[in-house]
Every structure is written in structure tokens, then in C-alpha cells.
Amino acid sequence: MKKFKFSLATVLDYKQQVLDALKGEHAAILAKVRAQEALLERIEERYSAYNLEFRDRKLEGLSIAEALLYENGLRALEREIRRETEVLHKLYQEEEAKRAEVVAAKQETASLEKLREKKLQSYNREVQKAEERLIDEFISAARAQAGA
């Protein structure tokens, strides 16, 4: 019997390549998300440290000019936090969309792999039947020869 050949093998290979590419893109977006989270955390830590320094200086007593300088610095850090938070939310949306693409590609690939498995099982059953017929013919021929 001829060797098993899945007729949609090229489609399955293509879908697998697409899935691999999407997984790579998703991983890159996740790396961007983690980097943005780390950046935001550093800015928030700077804000907290600067705010603590401002409170300590207020207790010690500071001039109006220094107080305004601290307040302007804090407002600038707040704007930076808002800006970086918006960037992070956009990255979250991008990551979610890419994850949905990966899931869809996985489903397509899985359905083709399941079809390939069914075709392979059917092929294996046919091979087994053909071998059984060959054995039956061999036994019948041997009996006929022994009887003659």
C-alpha cells in the first residue's frame, strides 16, 4: 500500500508558520508590556521618594520658592505617570488583540491536526485490513497447496 500523505499538509504547515509568527509577535508585545510596567513603577517610586522628601523639608521649614519647586516637580511626575499609564493601557489592548489572534490561529491549526489524525487512523486501519487480507490469501494458498 502507498505511504500516508495528508492532502492538507501544506495548509497545515502554513497555519503552523502563521501561529509561530503570531506567538513571536505576542511575546514581543508582552516584553513591551513588562518593560512599560517596570518604567511606570520606577516613575511612581521617584514620585513617592520626591513627595517624601518634600514632606520632610516642609517639617524642617523651606522657602516658598523651594515649595513651589517641589510642587512643580511633583506635578511634572504626575503628568509623566498619566502619560506612561496611557501607553501601558494601549499596550494591554494590543496584547489582548494579539492573544485573540493567537487563540484563533491555534484553533485553526488544532482542527487541521485533528483532521490529519483522523485521516492517519483511517489509513492505518486500511493498511491493517490489507495486511490481514494478504495473510488470509497466503494461508488459503498454503492450505490449497498442502491439500493438493
Side-chain angles (χ1 to χ4, degrees), residues 3-146:
K3 187 177 174 185
F4 174 74
K5 180 165 174 33
F6 183 52
S7 60
L8 297 174
T10 54
V11 175
L12 179 59
D13 290 342
Y14 172 74
K15 294 290 186 181
Q16 189 63 48
Q17 289 174 358
V18 168
L19 176 61
D20 292 342
L22 286 172
K23 283 181 179 180
E25 292 171 13
H26 184 249
I29 292 171
L30 279 176
K32 286 182 184 179
V33 166
R34 299 299 170 248
Q36 186 66 24
E37 288 172 341
L39 173 65
L40 190 56
E41 188 176 322
R42 286 192 305 273
I43 296 169
E44 288 171 346
E45 287 171 0
R46 273 186 14 223
Y47 178 85
S48 295
Y50 198 64
N51 195 22
L52 184 62
E53 180 183 333
F54 178 42
R55 279 192 253 144
D56 290 344
R57 292 291 309 272
K58 278 195 293 189
L59 293 175
E60 296 170 3
L62 71 157
S63 69
I64 293 174
E66 288 177 314
L68 288 174
L69 184 63
Y70 274 105
E71 285 181 5
N72 286 337
L74 288 172
R75 298 308 155 252
L77 284 172
E78 287 170 357
R79 284 191 301 273
E80 189 175 354
I81 288 171
R82 277 194 302 275
R83 191 172 48 247
E84 298 302 334
T85 300
E86 288 175 14
V87 170
L88 182 61
H89 286 299
K90 287 178 184 175
L91 285 173
Y92 282 147
Q93 291 171 349
E94 194 177 326
E95 183 273 333
E96 191 174 318
K98 192 57 71 174
R99 186 174 354 109
E101 286 182 49
V102 169
V103 168
K106 274 185 182 178
Q107 289 173 342
E108 289 177 13
T109 305
S111 65
L112 283 171
E113 287 174 348
K114 191 176 274 190
L115 179 62
R116 182 187 177 283
E117 268 309 304
K118 286 182 179 179
K119 296 279 187 181
L120 181 59
Q121 287 174 355
S122 174
Y123 170 80
N124 287 337
R125 281 193 300 272
E126 288 299 318
V127 167
Q128 186 177 0
K129 286 179 184 176
E131 288 174 354
E132 288 173 2
R133 281 193 299 270
L134 183 64
I135 291 171
D136 287 344
E137 288 174 14
F138 179 74
I139 291 172
S140 296
R143 284 184 184 158
Q145 205 173 28

